[in-house]
Amino acid sequence: MLVTALAALVLRLALIGHYLNGGYDLQIYTYFSDLFRHGINPYHAPASGPINPVYGDNQPGEMGLLALLLSVRDSPETLRVFFAICEALCVAVVGWFYPRSYRWRAAVMAILAFNPLLLLWWTVYAEDKGLCLLLLLVIVIAIERGAPNVSLIASGVLGALKWLSGFFALPLVAYAWTKRKTEQVWRFWASLLLAATCVIVAQIPYFPANLLPYSRRENRIGYPPGNASITVLLARTGIYSSWIPRLGIPLAIFVLYVLFFRRKLDIVETIILTVFASFVILPDESTDRILLITLPLLLITRLTALRQLAFWLISVVAAIVAFSVSYAADMPLPLLHTHPSVARALVSVGTWLGGAYASPRYVIFENLPMVLLLGLFIADKVRGRSQSVTTHSAQTSSEVVA
């Protein structure tokens, strides 16, 4: 377990050393967090600055954390190494703490450690999604190990950094309430209070300007479909409207809540699927965020050897397409120097398969891993073959609502 996690970290550090610049999101993280560090309101960034102020749309909790890291060493590479550590910790916590079989843990660890699509979009490009996934894993593992109060606290930390826990806060609180012990009910209230305090305190810096990200992100729903969003396919058929995500996302979350309280979904499934529903039909959805809602599906999907093979094959093809279409010009493969004919052939195949960036073909390939896991989960659920095999699931089916 330790070897796999260390290998994941070493591989990421090597990629960071080879691909020195990262992507545009890294510039956003660095610029706005540096403003925060110097006491300049990042939500009212100078209009003449290097990055459009509308991209100052992250929560002050995350900006403050990144600003603290930059105060240790003022370099974008500091943030890249931190993100790489978070990704490696995802591998470690699955291996050490997830209460499943060794074979299951090894399969998930291998995907989190070495999947090329993940390495490309989170490590090479430099994204904060590893931090989000790490906290989601802590929340789920705490539930699986019978520690719902810990999951409440972890969701508070996640809520302080990102908005993700807000989507599943209601069912999680309801679940934790049903798991309280009468003689220790104070622990539930203390955990809930601590979680709420984390979120509230994280909102204090630059209040009320820190409320601007909500409107800025809401405005992005009005953007035309692009990147790798599945709404590109709807737009090409002429049936897309911004009302689809505006109404579809809250409706999907409401349906998931109903299924949870009707005991059709357990709490882990509900957490993972509400996060999924909150992102999947956003018009600006890129592959890095698609991976954030795809990888948690591994936790609720049965992973047979054939299914693992299918996921790996599809991911490799999607990575080749993404690299060929999005990265090849600026971030050449090391293979280009040692085996130039092989590298050029891979790029040619990827470009032929994916077409242009944000084209329907590109969108299809980037979403295939997500579609595969979601389809397998639904199929298993319909057949009554849920992946929920740990103790919490059997209890949840009868104790979701007090």
Side-chain angles (χ1 to χ4, degrees), residues 111 115-118 291 310-320 368-369:
I111 291 172
N115 188 274
L117 196 60
L118 182 63
L291 283 167
F311 183 81
W312 273 100
L313 290 176
I314 290 173
S315 298
V316 169
V317 173
I320 292 172
L368 277 179

Side-chain angles (χ1 to χ4, degrees), residues 219-243:
N219 289 337
R220 285 160 63 174
I221 294 181
Y223 289 4
N227 295 326
S229 173
I230 58 174
T231 59
V232 168
L233 305 180
L234 298 178
R236 289 302 180 97
T237 60
I239 62 174
Y240 177 77
S241 165
S242 63
W243 285 107

